[in-house]
Amino acid sequence: MSFNPSLSVKATLDHLSRRLDPIIARRLAPHLNGLPWTAVLDALDALDDQRNYARTFRCETNDLHAQLRMLTERLGTLGYPFDDTARFVSTTGSKLRIIRNVSAHNGELSVGDAFRASDDAVELLKFFRDHDGAAEVESLRREALQALAAEEGVSVSEAAEDAALPALDTGDEDEELEDGPVTPSEDVLHRAPGHESQILGATRAIYEPWTVVPVGHSDVLDNLRTRRAYQQVRSVATEIVTFEGPIHMNRLTRLTGYSFGMKRLTVKRQRQIAHQVHKAGLYIDEDRFVWPREIDPNSWSEFRPNDNEAGRHFLQISPVEIANAGLFIRTRHPELTERELEDAILQTFGKKRRGAAVMDHLEVAQEIMAQS
C-alpha cells in the first residue's frame, strides 16, 4: 500500500490531540479552581466580545485547534505557561497550527509535510516529557521519512536533511527611532472597571508580533497556480492574521514571504500573495488592513499597547485600533486637551515624534473617533 501523506498527517494530529489534553490540564490546574482548561480560552474570547463565535461556540478539551491556541497564544496574566525562553513550544505549535489548517480543509499535503508534522509532534511531546506519546508517534515519523527517501531516491539520512527548512531572515524595515524609551501609561495597560476577567484579571493584552516559522521553500511561491501551493500560502496568511490581525496587507505579505524563505519580496510577489489573501476570504478594509474572521471590525473595541522597541510601525496599526485607544483614553480622562489626547494616543503605541505621516494616520483614527 502506497504512503498517503494526508492520512499520515491526520493520524499524527489525532494522536497529538489525545496526548496534549492531560498535559495542558495538569499545567493549568493550580490556576483554575476546578474549571476545565478551556475556560481560559472562553475568557479570552469573551473579552469585549472580541471573538464573534464566543457567544455560540465553546472550546472542547479534545479539540487540537483549542490545544494549539493554548500553546501559542498569550493567556492573559498567565503569559506563556508552557514555553521556555527559546519559545520552542509556541514556535512548534505555530507550525502545527498551519499544517492542521491545511489538513482540516482537505488541503493537498506532500510526503515532506507528513514527515515535518510527525517530527514536530515527536519533539513537542519529548519537550513535555511524554516519552510514551512520543514513542507512539515515532512510528509515523519513521514511515514518513522512509516514504520521503523512496520518493527522492536518497538515503533516509539524506531525506531527513533535505526535509529540514532553512533558517529564516526576518530583517524588517526600520522605523524612525525615538530619542529615548516611550512606554504606554499604566492606565491603558488595564481594562476599565467592570471588564475584568475572573481568570485573566484586568490586564490588557499588549501587542505581540507573529513569530515567523519556516513552513516551506521559496518554490511554493513560484507555483501559486498549483492547489497545494496556494492552499499553503492561504493557510499561513490566515494563521498570521488570526494571531496579529488587524494587520496591514504589506506586513502580512512580507511575513508570509518570510515563512517560505523569501528575504525580500518584489512588488509582483507581494501582489501575488495579496491575491491569495483575497481568495482566502478574509475581510480587507479600505485602509488595506486584513481582519481575522473571529473579529467584527464594526464592534471591536480592543487595542494593543506597545513600547517603541516592539518593532511596530505606527502607519501599520489599524486606524480602528488607534481610535479604540483614543476613545478609551478620552473616556478615562475627559479633561485632556486635544493636543494632550493626541500625545497620549501616540504614547500608547510607542510614539512621541509627530511627523507628517504619523499625524496624517492619526487624523484618520480621529475621524473614526468623531463618528463613535
Side-chain angles (χ1 to χ4, degrees), residues 169-346:
D169 178 359
T170 58
D172 212 341
E173 305 163 6
D174 290 330
E175 187 177 25
E176 182 182 19
L177 298 177
E178 301 293 341
D179 294 329
V182 181
T183 58
S185 70
E186 280 296 316
D187 261 2
V188 300
L189 298 178
H190 301 279
R191 301 179 186 281
H195 289 74
E196 306 93 341
S197 165
Q198 182 178 358
I199 295 174
L200 304 176
T203 302
R204 185 184 303 280
I206 62 173
Y207 167 77
E208 293 189 72
W210 161 260
T211 300
V212 180
V213 294
V215 177
H217 295 282
S218 59
D219 61 354
V220 171
L221 300 180
D222 295 327
N223 295 282
L224 285 176
R225 292 186 180 276
T226 66
R227 182 169 179 262
R228 176 174 174 267
Y230 68 65
Q231 284 177 330
Q232 276 192 304
V233 170
R234 293 176 194 178
S235 181
V236 172
T238 298
E239 192 60 36
I240 295 171
V241 173
T242 300
F243 184 90
E244 197 175 309
I247 177 174
H248 195 274
M249 180 67 83
N250 288 352
R251 175 169 171 78
L252 176 58
T253 57
R254 190 166 61 250
L255 292 179
T256 303
Y258 288 158
S259 296
F260 293 96
M262 297 293 293
K263 296 181 180 180
R264 294 289 182 269
L265 294 179
T266 63
V267 172
K268 178 181 179 181
R269 184 77 74 189
Q270 286 180 310
R271 288 173 178 168
Q272 290 173 332
I273 296 176
H275 177 70
Q276 296 306 322
V277 174
H278 282 273
K279 288 293 187 180
L282 298 166
Y283 175 67
I284 305 165
D285 65 25
E286 61 183 9
D287 297 306
R288 299 191 72 230
F289 284 87
V290 188
W291 291 76
R293 295 189 179 95
E294 298 87 352
I295 294 179
D296 180 358
N298 297 313
S299 62
W300 191 56
S301 60
E302 265 302 299
F303 61 95
R304 298 158 294 179
N306 61 267
D307 61 26
N308 65 314
E309 295 185 353
R312 192 182 194 194
H313 295 242
F314 187 76
L315 301 186
Q316 293 192 346
I317 303 174
S318 165
V320 175
E321 183 167 357
I322 298 171
N324 289 346
L327 291 169
F328 177 85
I329 296 169
R330 190 172 65 187
T331 300
R332 295 291 292 271
H333 298 283
E335 77 283 359
L336 293 179
T337 66
E338 182 177 344
R339 172 71 184 230
E340 289 170 336
L341 178 58
E342 290 175 350
D343 287 342
I345 294 171
L346 293 176

Side-chain angles (χ1 to χ4, degrees), residues 38 40-60 63 65-67 69-70 73 97 100 239 242-243 292-296 299:
T38 51
V40 176
L41 294 180
D42 291 338
L44 282 174
D45 292 341
L47 288 174
D48 292 332
D49 285 335
Q50 178 179 347
R51 307 277 175 170
N52 293 331
Y53 63 74
R55 293 185 289 265
T56 58
F57 177 79
R58 284 293 178 266
C59 302
E60 300 294 337
D63 178 9
H65 173 65
Q67 294 166 351
R69 282 187 63 193
M70 294 293 287
E73 296 181 16
R97 282 181 68 155
R100 178 216 157 267
E239 192 60 36
T242 300
F243 184 90
R293 295 189 179 95
E294 298 87 352
I295 294 179
D296 180 358
S299 62

